[in-house]
Every structure is written in structure tokens, then in C-alpha cells.
């Protein structure tokens, strides 16, 4: 059975993009893979996080993953900082990856923007830690949204260079699994920008714990154009907002853009938006209720994470120790 690893940052309540681009696929993959799912708190502090908020966001994210259907007994759910093997391998990878490789990372360029001199060095080496997250388990498949594709290519470059430099065949190649019609959910305010936890506008994203009223309001206010929906996908060309709403509908009904347009094509947004609202509410409301139920008992969430970390550690330690031996560290 192939081993899967994926991670998500505890930098706020996850949104519909995280759910459709990642979490929903994580749940489905549990039927056919051995899965490790990680709340990446080490990655979160590459930008400033208020300490009390970070701990609470870690609980909230874990609760939301459990409520979405992650099974912490058959698989492993844990927070990254609890398994030090990630850091040991990340240091080695800091010394394998090249400046030129990291300089090409578009996510760094986007996040650093004009403030390049003033961002943390952790933000720059972020992809090396991500490579370590995966490779410290010799995981071979990684379900992520489309935005992470470049980071996974870099992880493969690191694995290959390590193998080449040390003359071994130790780290496997990894395969990105980018799934479904909503691998890239866009902002409700701007169909050319991805839905993101860091968007300045609260109206740009639907959070996993939004109430039915909040969801309805956000969809009603979502930016659209004045034309009715087209009847075929070609008609979505140049209409990013329409494409996004149709993509969300398709993902939530397990179909594709074409099937949604066969059903809703030629309707105006005045008719399509209420249908979309009902659909989103019907999928998210049960998850939000379960998340809140779990959050009322933080000790249980922490016990689940602790158990996951212990089992993750047992898998990771032999691999990182072998990597350290290959590098030539003297074991004393
Ligand atoms: P992050 O919130 O950046 O830690 O992302 C967690 C997971 O959600 C990753 O697999 C991302 O690729 C995915 N993701 C984040 N934003 C979006 C989006 N707007 N559309 C689809 N997937 C996304
Ligand atoms: N960088 C990923 C994101 O922002 C999160 C992440 C960290 C991750 N480590 C990972 C995803 C390992 C997949 C595998 O979405």
C-alpha cells in the first residue's frame, strides 16, 4: 500500500478552498492508502503568529479535520512540531537545496512581495522543511491543491540530489496528486486570485465554520458578471468568477464543469447563487457542528494528536537516522 503524506497550516479556520482542494481528498484517500496528515505549525511561524492563537488554531484545525472525516485510528493525525525528525531532516535538506532553486519559488515571491529584505529566513527555506515532512516517511504520494505543485517538484529535486551526492538510492520520487474540478478555488471577490486565509477581505472566502447566514451573504455578494451562465465550458473563457462558482458547484456534487452547465446553463446568477448556497450549506453545516462539538473537549483533541505524533515518530526516526548515517554524522 502506498504511503500518503499531506500538511495544512494552522493559520486560521480552513476555508472552502482547503476543503475542496485538499481535505476532502484526504478523507477519500484513506480507503486505499496508508495516510499521515499533519498540522504544520512549524510552517505557520514562517510568518508571525500570536502564541496563544497558534495553539488554539492548532486545536481548531485538528477538530475541523476530524469533523471532515479524518480517521485518527486507522491513519495518523499529528502536529508537526511534536515530531523532531522533521527538523533533523530539514537541516540536511537546507544543505542540499540550492539558493537558485529556492529563488524560483513563486509562493515565496508572492508572500515576500516587496518586503523581501524583511521576511523571515524560514519563509525562504519553507520548501526544504516541506520536502523533509514527506521524505522523512518515505511517503510517495502527496495530495495538495494546485498551488503546491512547484514545492513538490523541488522536493523531488532535493531527493534526487541527495541520492546523487551520497551515491545511494535512498529517497523515493514523490507524486503530486492534484484532484478534482476545484483544485484551485478562487476568491469570491476576485476570480483571478486564489481563496486564501490571508485575504484582507473577510468576504473573499467561506470558512468551514461559517453559519448558513454568513455563507448565504458571502455568495450573494460574490463578484459575478451580468451575463447568464453559458451552456458549455467554452463559454466560461474569460469569465473567471463564473468559472469559479461553477467549479465549486461541480466539486460539491462530484461532477465537472460541463455537467453543471448542462443543468444550470442559461440561468442567471440570481437563480444559480441560491442553488449554490443551499449546496454549500448542506455540505458544510454538519462539519461545522461536529467541529464545535469536538472543540468543547480540547483534552480529547490533544490526546489524539499526541497518539498520532508517537506513531509518526516511530516511522520517521529510523529513516532520519539512516539519512544521518549516510551524511557521515558520527554516532557517539
Ligand atoms: P494552506 O492553507 O496554505 O496550508 O493549504 C492547505 C492545503 O489546501 C494545500 O493542499 C493547498 O494546496 C490547499 N489549498 C489552499 N488554498 C486553496 C485554494 N484556494 N484552492 C484549492 N486548494 C487550496
Ligand atoms: N506548504 C503546504 C501548504 O501551504 C503545507 C505543507 C507543509 C505540506 N508540509 C507539507 C503539504 C507536506 C503537503 C506535504 O499548503
Amino acid at each position: 500500500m502506498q504511503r500518503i503524506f499531506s500538511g495544512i497550516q494552522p493559520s486560521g479556520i480552513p476555508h472552502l478552498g482547503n476543503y475542496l482542494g485538499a481535505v476532502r481528498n484526504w478523507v477519500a484517500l484513506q480507503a486505499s492508502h496508508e495516510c499521515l496528515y499533519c498540522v504544520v505549525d512549524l510552517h505557520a511561524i514562517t510568518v508571525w503568529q500570536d502564541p496563544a492563537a497558534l495553539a488554539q488554531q492548532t486545536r481548531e484545525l485538528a477538530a475541523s479535520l476530524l469533523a471532515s472525516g479524518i480517521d485518527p485510528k486507522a491513519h495518523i493525525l499529528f502536529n508537526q512540531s511534536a515530531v523532531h525528525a522533521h527538523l533533523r531532516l530539514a537541516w540536511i535538506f537546507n544543505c542540499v537545496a540550492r539558493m537558485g532553486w529556492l529563488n524560483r519559488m513563486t509562493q515565496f515571491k508572492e508572500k515576500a512581495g516587496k518586503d523581501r529584505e524583511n521576511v523571515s529566513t524560514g519563509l525562504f527555506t519553507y520548501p526544504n522543511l516541506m520536502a523533509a515532512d514527506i521524505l522523512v516517511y518515505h511517503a510517495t504520494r502527496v495530495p495538495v491543491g494546485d498551488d503546491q505543485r512547484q514545492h513538490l517538484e523541488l522536493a523531488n529535486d532535493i531527493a534526487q540530489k541527495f541520492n546523487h551526492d551520497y551515491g545511494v538510492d535512498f529517497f523515493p520520487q514523490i507524486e503530486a496528486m492534484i484532484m478534482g474540478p476545484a483544485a484551485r478555488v478562487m476568491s469570491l471577490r476576485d476570480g483571478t486570485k486564489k481563496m486564501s486565509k490571508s485575504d484582507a477581505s473577510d468576504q473573499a472566502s467561506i470558512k468551514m465554520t461559517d453559519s448558513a447566514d454568513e455563507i448565504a451573504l458571502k455568495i450573494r455578494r460574490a463578484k459575478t458578471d451580468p451575463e447568464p451562465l453559458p451552456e458549455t465550458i467554452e463559454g466560461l473563457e474569460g469569465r473567471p468568477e463564473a468559472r469559479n462558482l461553477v467549479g465549486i458547484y461541480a466539486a460539491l456534487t462530484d461532477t465537472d464543469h460541463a455537467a453543471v452547465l448542462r443543468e444550470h446553463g442559461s440561468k442567471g446568477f440570481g437563480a444559480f447563487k441560491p442553488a449554490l448556497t443551499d449546496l454549500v450549506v448542506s455540505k458544510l453545516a454538519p462539519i461545522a457542528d461536529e467541529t464545535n462539538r469536538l472543540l468543547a473537549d480540547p483534552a480529547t483533541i490533544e490526546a489524539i494528536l499526541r497518539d498520532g505524533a508517537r506513531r509518526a515518530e516511530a516511522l520517521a526516526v529510523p529513516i532520519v537516522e539512516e539519512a544521518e548515517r549516510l551524511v557521515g554524522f558520527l554516532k557517539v
Side-chain angles (χ1 to χ4, degrees):
M1 205 187 272
Q2 298 224 50
R3 186 176 284 173
I4 280 191
F5 184 96
S6 198
I8 179 167
Q9 297 196 47
S11 47
I13 300 276
H15 52 63
L16 191 62
N18 298 129
Y19 182 66
L20 294 177
V23 177
R24 205 175 65 124
N25 304 323
W26 297 8
V27 172
L29 290 163
Q30 294 179 126
S32 50
H33 294 74
E34 175 194 3
C35 304
L36 292 120
Y37 295 129
C38 185
V39 177
V40 292
D41 48 7
L42 299 172
H43 276 114
I45 66 160
T46 55
V47 298
W48 170 252
Q49 302 291 334
D50 175 74
L54 180 61
Q56 181 56 15
Q57 284 164 191
T58 302
R59 291 185 202 95
E60 285 171 357
L61 181 54
S64 162
L65 293 172
L66 292 165
S68 301
I70 299 300
D71 177 349
K73 291 213 171 68
H75 300 276
I76 294 180
L77 177 68
F78 69 108
N79 61 320
Q80 193 183 23
S81 62
V83 181
H84 298 164
H86 293 235
L87 294 162
R88 290 160 64 180
L89 188 60
W91 179 257
I92 295 175
F93 285 176
N94 281 343
C95 304
V96 173
R98 306 288 95 184
M99 289 291 287
W101 300 357
L102 291 173
N103 271 328
R104 283 195 287 276
M105 294 294 112
T106 54
Q107 183 170 302
F108 175 76
K109 287 188 226 174
E110 275 165 25
K111 286 198 182 174
K114 290 191 186 66
D115 204 24
R116 242 184 124 110
E117 293 297 306
N118 208 26
V119 293
S120 75
T121 54
L123 190 69
F124 186 67
T125 56
Y126 176 118
N128 299 340
L129 175 60
M130 180 165 162
D133 293 339
I134 303 161
L135 290 165
V136 83
Y137 300 99
H138 279 182
T140 49
R141 313 191 90 187
V142 184
V144 282
D146 185 54
D147 59 331
Q148 297 301 311
R149 190 190 295 274
Q150 196 186 29
H151 287 159
L152 296 181
E153 287 164 9
L154 182 93
N156 274 331
D157 290 342
I158 291 175
Q160 236 171 46
K161 181 162 162 60
F162 181 99
N163 288 347
H164 177 266
D165 289 353
Y166 294 102
V168 289
D169 186 17
F170 185 60
F171 288 116
Q173 286 294 105
I174 59 194
E175 185 195 329
M177 308 173 87
I178 294 165
M179 299 156 80
R184 196 173 180 85
V185 177
M186 309 311 278
S187 155
L188 299 180
R189 307 300 305 167
D190 177 352
T192 62
K193 268 173 45 190
K194 77 167 183 171
M195 187 177 283
S196 153
K197 289 176 199 149
S198 52
D199 202 299
S201 164
D202 183 47
Q203 299 296 309
S205 66
I206 293 174
K207 300 203 173 41
M208 294 286 293
T209 49
D210 279 351
S211 68
D213 287 348
E214 286 166 315
I215 293 172
L217 187 66
K218 287 178 182 179
I219 293 181
R220 197 161 354 110
R221 287 193 183 152
K223 182 175 170 198
T224 46
D225 55 42
E227 303 298 317
L229 285 178
E231 291 184 29
T232 58
I233 29 179
E234 291 73 38
L236 291 173
E237 209 56 52
R239 299 180 64 188
E241 284 84 15
R243 174 185 294 280
N244 189 36
L245 298 185
V246 170
I248 293 171
Y249 196 100
L252 286 172
T253 49
D254 290 310
T255 53
D256 54 20
H257 291 78
V260 175
L261 294 177
R262 275 197 296 278
E263 195 189 333
H264 294 280
S266 81
K267 277 187 197 162
F269 286 101
F272 183 64
K273 280 181 169 182
L276 180 63
T277 300
D278 288 347
L279 180 63
V280 174
V281 170
S282 74
K283 299 287 177 182
L284 294 195
I287 300 178
D289 289 347
E290 177 65 3
T291 303
N292 290 326
R293 194 188 67 75
L294 290 163
L295 280 170
D297 181 9
T300 299
I301 298 173
E302 286 162 29
I304 289 172
L305 292 175
R306 197 176 315 114
D307 175 64
R310 192 184 48 76
R311 289 188 290 133
E313 179 124 55
L315 298 173
V317 164
I319 294 176
V320 77
E321 285 187 346
E322 179 60 10
E324 288 172 343
R325 195 189 64 76
L326 290 169
V327 166
F329 292 158
L330 178 65
K331 291 287 173 189
V332 292

